[in-house]
Amino acid sequence: MAVTRADVARLAGTSPALVSYVLNGGPRQVAPATRARIEAAIAELGYRPNMSARSLRMNRGHALGMVIPDGANPFFAELSAVIEAAAFAKGYPLFVGNAAGDEARERAYVRTFIDRRVEGMLAISSSWGTGIADACEEAGMVLVALDRIIDPARCAHVMCDSVAGAQEAVAHLIGHGHRDIACLSGPHVSTAEDRVQGYRNALAAAELPEGPIVRTDFGGAAGYRGLTELMTGPRKPTAVFVTSDLQAMGMLRAAYDAGLRVPDDLAVIGFDGIEYSRYTRPGLTTMVQPARRIAEMAVDLLLEQIENRSPRPGVVNLAAELKTRGSCGCSDEF
């Protein structure tokens, strides 16, 4: 027979109500000694709460929802994987919806998760932006934004500091002696805008002129095409800061096809730190986002807000780390 809360209460020498308070984190405080007895009884009996019944009582499904902009992009795939692991470790399954860069699809996933009454939402917005905050606020659902700004006044954000990371990357190129540095940017989303700003900050700090800035999609094919645009101007750059690794990998292939030697003719630095970046030749120098820290912090922040039923708007910025390889002129370490 299944172990019940009453069984736990009998073994702990307390009431089923106090067992509920320990399991649900309230609504009343439980004395530390009593809590310890209850937790020991739970462990000894192997008690597992009936989550279906709990969900019906709380009018929520015991799960989290997450919307990502492009499931084919390795960075978003890797980030959603570590978030799934962080959520699973806390006892929550994670449903992931791939918007595939389509606003209508993004809206549909958000509404589906709301209709299924997940307990909280994580989102990397592709284009809908504040519409996600509007929908979650109307449904009384807490939201944590990742990677891209949605609405810092209404929801929590856990981000990599793209401005500081990009500035460090470009300063590294300047340290290699480059003075004509271009930028291959992504589309008009906050992440790309911040990285362009960091690029400009580094050049201004070194009193260097701004090079050409080309905007493309974040994909590898866009990075391949971007090289042609960057090299057709009157001043050909000797180095390029690229706002995503996938674009940078496409650019490395384009450079090879064009007969350009990397890093001798053209140095390249990317941003994200995806697993595949180490397998290019030369290896891709990149600003590595702290994906695991982002995931754990985002899940903890979401669950804290679910528990307290109180949003914590604002932005938490985490630092990226420069990983040097051969594409910038450093030793090509695997």
Side-chain angles (χ1 to χ4, degrees), residues 67 99 102-115 121 125-132 134-135:
V67 180
D102 185 318
E103 181 176 326
R105 185 164 166 163
E106 183 173 86
R107 287 175 182 265
Y109 269 120
V110 170
R111 287 170 177 155
T112 296
F113 291 151
I114 289 173
D115 289 344
M121 189 92 69
S125 177
S126 57
S127 55
W128 193 22
T130 56
I132 297 178
D134 293 337

Short mmCIF file of all heavy atoms in Angstrom, two decimals, residues 67 99 102-115 121 125-132 134-135:
data_model
loop_
_atom_site.label_atom_id
_atom_site.label_comp_id
_atom_site.label_asym_id
_atom_site.label_seq_id
_atom_site.Cartn_x
_atom_site.Cartn_y
_atom_site.Cartn_z
N VAL A 67 9.91 28.64 -23.48
CA VAL A 67 9.85 28.94 -24.90
C VAL A 67 11.22 29.43 -25.35
O VAL A 67 11.81 30.31 -24.72
CB VAL A 67 8.78 30.02 -25.20
CG1 VAL A 67 8.74 30.32 -26.69
CG2 VAL A 67 7.41 29.57 -24.73
N ALA A 99 9.86 28.18 -30.81
CA ALA A 99 9.15 29.18 -31.61
C ALA A 99 9.64 29.24 -33.05
O ALA A 99 8.93 29.75 -33.92
CB ALA A 99 9.27 30.56 -30.97
N ASP A 102 9.22 32.40 -35.16
CA ASP A 102 7.88 32.77 -35.64
C ASP A 102 7.07 33.32 -34.47
O ASP A 102 6.81 32.62 -33.49
CB ASP A 102 7.20 31.54 -36.23
CG ASP A 102 5.86 31.84 -36.87
OD1 ASP A 102 5.08 32.63 -36.29
OD2 ASP A 102 5.57 31.29 -37.95
N GLU A 103 6.65 34.60 -34.56
CA GLU A 103 5.91 35.23 -33.45
C GLU A 103 4.60 34.51 -33.17
O GLU A 103 4.23 34.32 -32.01
CB GLU A 103 5.65 36.69 -33.76
CG GLU A 103 4.92 37.40 -32.63
CD GLU A 103 4.72 38.88 -32.89
OE1 GLU A 103 5.61 39.51 -33.51
OE2 GLU A 103 3.68 39.41 -32.47
N ALA A 104 3.87 34.11 -34.22
CA ALA A 104 2.60 33.42 -34.01
C ALA A 104 2.80 32.10 -33.28
O ALA A 104 2.01 31.72 -32.41
CB ALA A 104 1.91 33.18 -35.36
N ARG A 105 3.87 31.42 -33.62
CA ARG A 105 4.17 30.14 -32.96
C ARG A 105 4.57 30.38 -31.51
O ARG A 105 4.20 29.60 -30.61
CB ARG A 105 5.29 29.44 -33.74
CG ARG A 105 5.64 28.06 -33.25
CD ARG A 105 6.45 27.35 -34.31
NE ARG A 105 7.08 26.15 -33.79
CZ ARG A 105 7.57 25.19 -34.55
NH1 ARG A 105 7.49 25.27 -35.86
NH2 ARG A 105 8.14 24.13 -34.00
N GLU A 106 5.33 31.43 -31.27
CA GLU A 106 5.72 31.78 -29.91
C GLU A 106 4.48 32.07 -29.06
O GLU A 106 4.34 31.58 -27.93
CB GLU A 106 6.63 33.00 -29.93
CG GLU A 106 7.15 33.42 -28.57
CD GLU A 106 8.19 34.53 -28.71
OE1 GLU A 106 7.79 35.72 -28.76
OE2 GLU A 106 9.38 34.22 -28.77
N ARG A 107 3.55 32.86 -29.60
CA ARG A 107 2.30 33.16 -28.89
C ARG A 107 1.54 31.88 -28.58
O ARG A 107 1.00 31.71 -27.48
CB ARG A 107 1.41 34.06 -29.75
CG ARG A 107 1.87 35.51 -29.88
CD ARG A 107 0.96 36.24 -30.87
NE ARG A 107 1.38 37.60 -31.08
CZ ARG A 107 0.89 38.65 -30.42
NH1 ARG A 107 -0.03 38.46 -29.49
NH2 ARG A 107 1.32 39.86 -30.67
N ALA A 108 1.48 30.97 -29.56
CA ALA A 108 0.71 29.74 -29.39
C ALA A 108 1.30 28.88 -28.27
O ALA A 108 0.55 28.32 -27.46
CB ALA A 108 0.69 28.95 -30.70
N TYR A 109 2.63 28.80 -28.21
CA TYR A 109 3.24 28.01 -27.14
C TYR A 109 2.99 28.63 -25.77
O TYR A 109 2.68 27.93 -24.80
CB TYR A 109 4.75 27.87 -27.37
CG TYR A 109 5.12 26.64 -28.18
CD1 TYR A 109 5.79 26.76 -29.39
CD2 TYR A 109 4.80 25.37 -27.72
CE1 TYR A 109 6.14 25.63 -30.12
CE2 TYR A 109 5.13 24.24 -28.44
CZ TYR A 109 5.79 24.37 -29.64
OH TYR A 109 6.13 23.25 -30.37
N VAL A 110 3.11 29.94 -25.67
CA VAL A 110 2.86 30.60 -24.39
C VAL A 110 1.43 30.35 -23.94
O VAL A 110 1.18 30.00 -22.78
CB VAL A 110 3.15 32.12 -24.50
CG1 VAL A 110 2.66 32.84 -23.25
CG2 VAL A 110 4.64 32.37 -24.69
N ARG A 111 0.48 30.49 -24.84
CA ARG A 111 -0.93 30.27 -24.48
C ARG A 111 -1.20 28.82 -24.15
O ARG A 111 -2.00 28.52 -23.25
CB ARG A 111 -1.81 30.74 -25.64
CG ARG A 111 -1.86 32.26 -25.74
CD ARG A 111 -2.52 32.73 -27.00
NE ARG A 111 -2.61 34.20 -27.04
CZ ARG A 111 -2.70 34.91 -28.14
NH1 ARG A 111 -2.71 34.31 -29.32
NH2 ARG A 111 -2.78 36.22 -28.09
N THR A 112 -0.54 27.89 -24.85
CA THR A 112 -0.71 26.48 -24.54
C THR A 112 -0.21 26.16 -23.14
O THR A 112 -0.88 25.47 -22.37
CB THR A 112 0.06 25.60 -25.56
OG1 THR A 112 -0.52 25.80 -26.86
CG2 THR A 112 -0.03 24.12 -25.19
N PHE A 113 0.95 26.69 -22.78
CA PHE A 113 1.48 26.44 -21.44
C PHE A 113 0.58 27.07 -20.37
O PHE A 113 0.38 26.48 -19.31
CB PHE A 113 2.91 26.99 -21.33
CG PHE A 113 3.92 26.23 -22.14
CD1 PHE A 113 5.05 26.86 -22.63
CD2 PHE A 113 3.74 24.88 -22.41
CE1 PHE A 113 6.00 26.16 -23.37
CE2 PHE A 113 4.67 24.17 -23.17
CZ PHE A 113 5.80 24.81 -23.65
N ILE A 114 0.06 28.25 -20.66
CA ILE A 114 -0.86 28.88 -19.71
C ILE A 114 -2.13 28.04 -19.57
O ILE A 114 -2.61 27.81 -18.46
CB ILE A 114 -1.18 30.32 -20.15
CG1 ILE A 114 0.05 31.22 -19.94
CG2 ILE A 114 -2.37 30.87 -19.37
CD1 ILE A 114 -0.09 32.62 -20.51
N ASP A 115 -2.67 27.58 -20.69
CA ASP A 115 -3.88 26.76 -20.66
C ASP A 115 -3.65 25.45 -19.90
O ASP A 115 -4.57 24.94 -19.23
CB ASP A 115 -4.35 26.44 -22.08
CG ASP A 115 -4.93 27.65 -22.80
OD1 ASP A 115 -5.24 28.64 -22.10
OD2 ASP A 115 -5.05 27.61 -24.03
N MET A 121 6.86 30.07 -15.95
CA MET A 121 7.34 30.13 -17.33
C MET A 121 8.74 30.70 -17.39
O MET A 121 9.07 31.68 -16.71
CB MET A 121 6.40 31.02 -18.15
CG MET A 121 6.66 30.99 -19.64
SD MET A 121 5.66 29.77 -20.47
CE MET A 121 4.03 30.51 -20.29
N SER A 125 12.64 35.26 -25.68
CA SER A 125 11.70 35.75 -26.69
C SER A 125 12.35 35.90 -28.05
O SER A 125 13.45 36.44 -28.17
CB SER A 125 11.12 37.10 -26.25
OG SER A 125 10.26 37.60 -27.24
N SER A 126 11.66 35.45 -29.10
CA SER A 126 12.17 35.62 -30.45
C SER A 126 11.73 36.96 -31.04
O SER A 126 12.50 37.65 -31.69
CB SER A 126 11.69 34.48 -31.36
OG SER A 126 10.29 34.39 -31.37
N SER A 127 10.48 37.35 -30.79
CA SER A 127 10.00 38.61 -31.36
C SER A 127 8.83 39.21 -30.59
O SER A 127 8.62 40.41 -30.63
CB SER A 127 9.57 38.39 -32.82
OG SER A 127 8.62 37.35 -32.90
N TRP A 128 8.07 38.39 -29.87
CA TRP A 128 6.86 38.88 -29.23
C TRP A 128 7.16 39.80 -28.06
O TRP A 128 6.42 40.72 -27.74
CB TRP A 128 6.03 37.67 -28.79
CG TRP A 128 4.62 38.00 -28.39
CD1 TRP A 128 3.90 39.10 -28.75
CD2 TRP A 128 3.78 37.22 -27.56
NE1 TRP A 128 2.65 39.04 -28.20
CE2 TRP A 128 2.56 37.89 -27.46
CE3 TRP A 128 3.94 36.02 -26.90
CZ2 TRP A 128 1.48 37.39 -26.72
CZ3 TRP A 128 2.88 35.52 -26.17
CH2 TRP A 128 1.67 36.20 -26.09
N GLY A 129 8.28 39.57 -27.40
CA GLY A 129 8.75 40.46 -26.34
C GLY A 129 7.79 40.62 -25.20
O GLY A 129 7.43 39.66 -24.52
N THR A 130 7.34 41.86 -24.97
CA THR A 130 6.50 42.15 -23.80
C THR A 130 5.16 41.44 -23.86
O THR A 130 4.47 41.36 -22.84
CB THR A 130 6.26 43.67 -23.66
OG1 THR A 130 5.68 44.16 -24.87
CG2 THR A 130 7.56 44.40 -23.38
N GLY A 131 4.78 40.90 -25.01
CA GLY A 131 3.54 40.13 -25.08
C GLY A 131 3.56 38.92 -24.17
O GLY A 131 2.52 38.52 -23.63
N ILE A 132 4.74 38.33 -23.97
CA ILE A 132 4.86 37.20 -23.04
C ILE A 132 4.58 37.68 -21.62
O ILE A 132 3.86 37.03 -20.87
CB ILE A 132 6.26 36.57 -23.14
CG1 ILE A 132 6.49 36.00 -24.53
CG2 ILE A 132 6.45 35.50 -22.07
CD1 ILE A 132 7.87 35.40 -24.73
N ASP A 134 2.79 40.25 -20.77
CA ASP A 134 1.36 40.58 -20.69
C ASP A 134 0.54 39.32 -20.43
O ASP A 134 -0.34 39.29 -19.55
CB ASP A 134 0.88 41.22 -22.00
CG ASP A 134 1.49 42.58 -22.25
OD1 ASP A 134 1.92 43.23 -21.28
OD2 ASP A 134 1.53 43.00 -23.43
N ALA A 135 0.82 38.26 -21.20
CA ALA A 135 0.05 37.02 -21.09
C ALA A 135 0.24 36.37 -19.74
O ALA A 135 -0.73 35.90 -19.12
CB ALA A 135 0.45 36.06 -22.21
#
